[in-house]
Amino acid sequence: MNFSIKNIGECRIPSPLLDRISDEGFNYISETNRIYYDIYTENQKPDKDQSFELAGPRKMIHFNPTEVRSAIVTCGGLCPGLNNVIRSIVLESYHIYGSKSILGFKYGYGGLKPDAVVKPIELSPENVRDIHKVGGTMLGSSRGGTEDMEKLVDTLEKMKINILYALGGDGTLKGAHTIAEIAMKRGLDLAVVGVPKTIDNDISYIQRSFGFESAFTKAVESISAAHVEAEGAQNGIGLVKLMGRHSGYIAAHATLAMNDVNFIFIPEVPFDMEGENGFLIHLQKRLKDRGHAVICVAEGAGQELLKKEGADVMKDASGNVMLDDIGIFMKNSISRYFKELGIEISMKYIDPSYIIRSTLANANDSIYCALLGQYAVHAAMAGKTDMVVGQWNNFFTHVPIELAISRRKKMDPNSRVWHNVLQATGQPFVMVNR
Ligand code: F6P
């Protein structure tokens, strides 16, 4: 694991923060300020290489803030907090560094194509003033646009952009990494800094991506509704499907937050529907004992149960495999099962879908976004590149993009947190037939 952060050049310019904020007692960060990746004492053979560089303002920076030209792009699916991060970057650049040239590329990486129909816009404190009060992104977003990365760098070079802030998840960061590499090869004075966006919380080496907390907070409303509906009927079943393509964090955290869910299914944990230890028999037992049940299923769960022989694998513009609908499959399977047994049930199916990601950032996410934006500007002004700002053990960190995209963060079925979830539901640890 390589934790070292690249820099596009030397830092010879005193930070303007020295003038703006009293130097005395101001908490500047140096490259030797690091925190360990692994904090378990029993594993400690202190190895400074296995540690994150701390985020924060540097005394000496690379870019002259009054000359540097920055740009922001938001990519991939929408996520709470995008506008908050854009606003924070603009305000930090303008008011703290005195850097006033910031462009916003429209509709994701596609907006950097030389033939992009919608041209970038100038960003200023004026036009970002109220954007944090609405969900989505003022810049628009899109998947893909990364077919010819050289061309995107041509645009950045032509427009004399020195800093690109890329707000996005896995796919966006892969794109940002390629842009940083091409820029380095061309010898451009261009720093690329990512900000970790995804409601799925599936970026490795970052404890939480922005938007995740707001999304699962919104999802709690669906679980609450499912519980009310389930309790309000004899043999009532509330079935909730939540987003989470490969990682079940949204479902798991919404489940922990409510403590009303009796069965949870996530992509990381396989299960059987039928059979002596399958889900349906446990559901039947639960209805017999308690008269109602709440089920929460992440969209990527149980895909192996839905596979059709010889069916084409469809992918979206980001290269993600398009999933089959586990929610509807479960709904139909449950109905069929109890019908065959002659047991009457009352099932309510709730799929909040995009409602959980088009929502506003909640208060805690808003703070997180504001700070990530500030730390992204500190890093970029110091010329750091090919990195993403993150958080680890509650410290803000710099993570090499290559490391962040090296594997997807997934819920470990043997982890304490998954066991906490199972304890909250009371479901069997394993629902697979032997
Ligand atoms: O990647 C984040 C996410 O919210 C996933 O949970 C979900 O599968 C996906 O986006 C859906 O987005 P879209 O419909 O834009 O592909």
Side-chain angles (χ1 to χ4, degrees):
M1 290 182 291
N2 185 354
F3 288 81
S4 57
I5 298 292
K6 294 179 196 140
N7 210 298
I8 53 167
E10 282 179 60
C11 294
R12 293 200 182 130
I13 299 171
S15 167
L17 272 68
L18 293 170
D19 303 331
R20 283 167 213 274
I21 305 170
S22 154
D23 193 19
E24 274 168 55
F26 192 74
N27 196 1
Y28 285 102
I29 299 291
S30 89
E31 274 51 49
T32 51
N33 296 137
R34 307 184 70 87
I35 61 151
Y36 283 119
Y37 164 63
D38 184 345
I39 56 157
Y40 288 102
T41 51
E42 65 268 31
N43 297 345
Q44 284 308 331
K45 277 195 256 84
D47 179 356
K48 284 201 178 150
D49 288 344
Q50 300 298 292
S51 64
F52 294 102
E53 183 175 296
L54 274 189
R58 266 55 182 173
K59 252 185 177 167
M60 300 297 284
I61 58 176
H62 175 74
F63 289 113
N64 181 341
T66 55
E67 289 169 7
V68 71
R69 284 171 60 77
S70 308
I72 305 177
V73 66
T74 57
C75 312
L78 295 185
C79 179
L82 279 161
N83 276 335
N84 303 58
V85 176
I86 295 171
R87 184 169 181 270
S88 172
I89 291 173
V90 172
L91 297 186
E92 183 74 11
S93 303
Y94 245 76
H95 295 312
I96 305 301
Y97 279 89
S99 176
K100 307 199 166 167
S101 170
I102 311 167
L103 281 184
F105 284 104
K106 298 282 286 180
Y107 302 113
Y109 283 133
L112 276 82
K113 286 183 182 171
D115 57 354
V117 183
V118 192
K119 298 298 167 207
I121 56 168
E122 290 283 349
L123 296 172
S124 68
E126 260 311 293
N127 61 9
V128 302
R129 193 177 58 197
D130 291 321
I131 59 170
H132 58 308
K133 296 176 187 164
V134 287
T137 158
M138 75 172 290
L139 296 176
S141 188
S142 71
R143 295 195 180 280
T146 50
E147 310 77 32
D148 189 348
M149 298 303 282
E150 296 281 347
K151 288 226 167 83
L152 306 193
V153 183
D154 289 347
T155 302
L156 294 168
E157 191 174 354
K158 210 166 109 203
M159 297 180 92
K160 299 191 169 39
I161 301 294
N162 304 109
I163 296 173
L164 177 68
Y165 298 101
L167 281 45
D170 193 50
T172 310
L173 293 176
K174 280 182 186 146
H177 174 57
T178 310
I179 292 173
E181 280 197 319
I182 297 172
M184 284 259 200
K185 255 189 224 139
R186 291 192 194 177
L188 302 179
D189 206 21
L190 170 63
V192 183
V193 171
V195 188
K197 170 229 78 169
T198 158
I199 61 165
D200 291 358
N201 194 30
D202 59 356
I203 306 175
S204 284
Y205 302 95
I206 292 178
Q207 88 187 37
R208 138 168 103 101
S209 50
F210 77 81
F212 163 60
E213 185 178 301
S214 310
F216 81 71
T217 303
K218 190 75 185 165
V220 158
E221 289 172 20
S222 297
I223 291 179
S224 187
H227 188 229
V228 170
E229 289 289 343
E231 274 201 318
Q234 201 178 356
N235 282 341
I237 297 174
L239 172 60
V240 180
K241 184 180 93 171
L242 295 174
M243 281 188 169
R245 208 194 297 270
H246 304 287
S247 307
Y249 292 102
I250 299 172
H253 281 73
T255 293
L256 279 174
M258 274 320 277
N259 245 289
D260 281 333
V261 172
N262 309 112
F263 297 96
I264 176 175
F265 299 96
I266 61 170
E268 296 90 331
V269 180
F271 64 98
D272 285 323
M273 288 293 283
E274 323 266 344
E276 60 187 17
N277 196 31
F279 157 60
L280 290 168
I281 201 120
H282 292 292
L283 176 61
Q284 189 185 342
K285 278 186 206 142
R286 160 84 201 178
L287 288 184
K288 188 160 172 273
D289 294 344
R290 305 279 300 129
H292 73 279
V294 176
I295 305 152
C296 176
V297 59
E299 65 172 330
Q303 290 295 306
E304 56 287 347
L305 304 172
L306 303 168
K307 278 209 186 94
K308 290 179 208 90
E309 282 291 308
D312 288 344
V313 175
M314 307 269 281
K315 292 195 174 174
D316 69 11
S318 303
N320 301 304
V321 171
M322 292 171 79
L323 303 176
D324 290 314
D325 197 327
I326 185 69
I328 296 293
F329 170 80
M330 286 189 99
K331 178 175 177 275
N332 293 339
S333 307
I334 293 167
S335 298
R336 204 180 316 116
Y337 178 79
F338 286 103
K339 196 169 177 203
E340 278 166 17
L341 289 175
I343 299 173
E344 207 173 309
I345 57 164
S346 168
M347 183 161 38
K348 302 294 184 308
Y349 178 56
I350 300 174
D351 179 358
S353 176
Y354 295 96
I355 291 172
I356 70 166
R357 73 175 206 191
S358 53
T359 185
L360 270 183
N362 68 10
N364 202 29
D365 246 338
S366 298
I367 296 172
Y368 190 43
C369 291
L371 299 188
L372 284 173
Q374 291 181 6
Y375 285 117
V377 176
H378 292 317
M381 288 293 176
K384 293 181 185 292
T385 192
D386 206 358
M387 56 144 278
V388 50
V389 280
Q391 204 178 40
W392 197 251
N393 294 316
N394 294 338
F395 287 94
F396 283 88
T397 54
H398 294 167
V399 185
I401 294 183
E402 221 173 341
L403 191 62
I405 59 176
S406 58
R407 57 187 160 125
R408 187 181 297 281
K409 184 166 79 181
K410 288 178 178 236
M411 176 77 75
D412 176 356
N414 296 314
S415 64
R416 170 63 47 218
V417 62
W418 179 243
H419 291 172
N420 292 144
V421 173
L422 293 177
Q423 284 160 45
T425 61
Q427 77 194 54
F429 271 44
V430 178
M431 281 187 278
V432 173
N433 299 311
R434 299 271 165 223

